[in-house]
Amino acid sequence: MRKNIRRNELCWCGSGRKYKRCHMLEDTRKKRAAARSDTGPMVKSPAQIDGMRRAGAFNGRLMDHIRGLVRAGTTTEEINRAVHEYTVTHGHTPAPLNYHGFPKSVCTSINDVVCHGIPSPDVRLAVGDIVNVDITTIVEGFHGDSSETFMIGTVSDAARHLVEVTARALKLGIEAAGPGKHLRAIAEAIEPFVNAEGCSVVHQYTGHGIGTGFHEFFTVYHHVSPECDDIILQPGMTLTIEPMINLGGYRVVTDPGDGWTVRTKDGSLSAQFEHTVAITETGAEVLTLTPSQRAAGRLVVVPGLDV
Ligand code: MF3
Ligand code: CO
Ligand code: CO
């Protein structure tokens, strides 16, 4: 593998073919896998799945705990405080804090921010905003990871449409996951639906294997791509599904100032929902359901939307 080779250059292997027609796919997959080196076994034992259940359930309770705070007038730092306090009070660890240098305990991503928004005492939620709150906790060594996009008061019809499409996209992705299914079935369920609704699927950020590591092998694409890892889902695998959906184009840019905040390139709105799931003998068990989702018998509950 050679660094910085361009797609139309000759392949490094000496085949005489263009890189894109030779080793490019394989190299891309290897690079993705290397970025997920904090990795446990791809198939977890029943005891490990139980650990993942406890982590997911805690993450879900925490989501319900902060739900009321996500309203006009609250600063994103107040949400961060609440997430941090609840987590450490229960003896657990907020996974984002210091993860590759991330400075806070939760990600709060408003409007055109796609993901990895940094909570701040200077940023106050306002009527009309949409905000994704992405919570990840470590409970007895295992990770639970889930997020929801909240609408603050009345939002534009376009924002509402985006949030609805994104919630449905997560549900479609979860329904497509199960034993014997190819990993790419998730993207195949999500992307055509999202495009038909006039929205686009972010390519740059993906779901992931999860366990004792935050981001384990493999990469869960939400867009259809030949780069998708060649994996058949098996009972005992645990992964996240977390489509980031834009109202405009799929391209994103990272804030050069803080190195974290990811925004849509065209300034359009972006939304996201995420759950951690375990593949079982019969389908996908959602590990991060919140008590309110359990009570409603739904995978996603968005006040004011029928999803
Ligand atoms: N929770 C995000 C995910 O779903 C990752 C956040 S990484 C952080 O994968 F460093 F920004 F916290
Ligand atoms: Co997350
Ligand atoms: Co995740």
Side-chain angles (χ1 to χ4, degrees), residues 146-282:
S146 55
S147 83
E148 292 185 26
T149 297
F150 297 81
M151 298 185 286
I152 307 302
T154 305
V155 306
S156 69
D157 288 347
R160 213 181 138 76
H161 177 68
L162 173 69
V163 173
E164 180 168 342
V165 167
T166 309
R168 288 188 193 281
L170 172 61
K171 283 171 58 176
L172 288 171
I174 293 171
E175 286 161 9
K181 301 280 185 63
H182 196 285
L183 186 56
R184 81 169 72 86
I186 294 169
E188 285 171 349
I190 290 175
E191 193 177 39
F193 163 74
V194 167
N195 291 346
E197 293 291 340
C199 304
S200 66
V201 178
V202 170
H203 297 188
Q204 186 81 27
Y205 294 89
T206 64
H208 46 93
I210 184 167
T212 52
F214 192 162
H215 296 104
E216 296 192 349
F217 184 72
F218 37 83
T219 296
V220 180
Y221 281 102
H222 307 105
H223 67 291
V224 179
S225 165
E227 281 173 17
C228 181
D229 289 310
D230 194 14
I231 285 186
I232 306 292
L233 296 173
Q234 293 170 55
M237 290 179 171
T238 48
L239 56 134
T240 73
I241 304 178
E242 49 179 303
M244 281 145 270
I245 307 299
N246 299 347
L247 212 39
Y250 73 90
R251 288 198 169 79
V252 301
V253 285
T254 304
D255 190 312
D258 64 28
W260 280 103
T261 310
V262 178
R263 293 190 179 80
T264 56
K265 194 170 180 186
D266 60 12
S268 68
L269 293 174
S270 186
Q272 180 181 24
F273 287 87
E274 173 176 24
H275 271 310
T276 300
V277 307
I279 305 301
T280 65
E281 298 292 337
T282 52

Side-chain angles (χ1 to χ4, degrees), residues 69-226:
L69 197 59
V70 188
R71 56 171 192 261
T74 300
T75 68
T76 49
E77 173 58 20
E78 284 165 346
I79 297 171
N80 177 65
R81 268 285 111 213
V83 167
H84 187 90
E85 290 301 321
Y86 188 90
T87 307
V88 300
T89 303
H90 287 81
H92 306 315
T93 306
L97 188 60
N98 300 320
Y99 181 75
H100 294 286
F102 190 78
K104 297 285 177 173
S105 298
V106 67
C107 298
T108 50
S109 303
I110 302 176
N111 296 335
D112 64 323
V113 178
V114 173
C115 61
H116 304 166
I118 302 173
S120 159
D122 303 327
V123 175
R124 220 172 265 286
L125 298 176
V127 170
D129 284 344
I130 58 172
V131 57
N132 177 273
V133 179
D134 191 343
I135 301 177
T136 315
T137 45
I138 310 174
V139 174
E140 294 154 36
F142 294 99
H143 288 72
D145 187 9
S146 55
S147 83
E148 292 185 26
T149 297
F150 297 81
M151 298 185 286
I152 307 302
T154 305
V155 306
S156 69
D157 288 347
R160 213 181 138 76
H161 177 68
L162 173 69
V163 173
E164 180 168 342
V165 167
T166 309
R168 288 188 193 281
L170 172 61
K171 283 171 58 176
L172 288 171
I174 293 171
E175 286 161 9
K181 301 280 185 63
H182 196 285
L183 186 56
R184 81 169 72 86
I186 294 169
E188 285 171 349
I190 290 175
E191 193 177 39
F193 163 74
V194 167
N195 291 346
E197 293 291 340
C199 304
S200 66
V201 178
V202 170
H203 297 188
Q204 186 81 27
Y205 294 89
T206 64
H208 46 93
I210 184 167
T212 52
F214 192 162
H215 296 104
E216 296 192 349
F217 184 72
F218 37 83
T219 296
V220 180
Y221 281 102
H222 307 105
H223 67 291
V224 179
S225 165

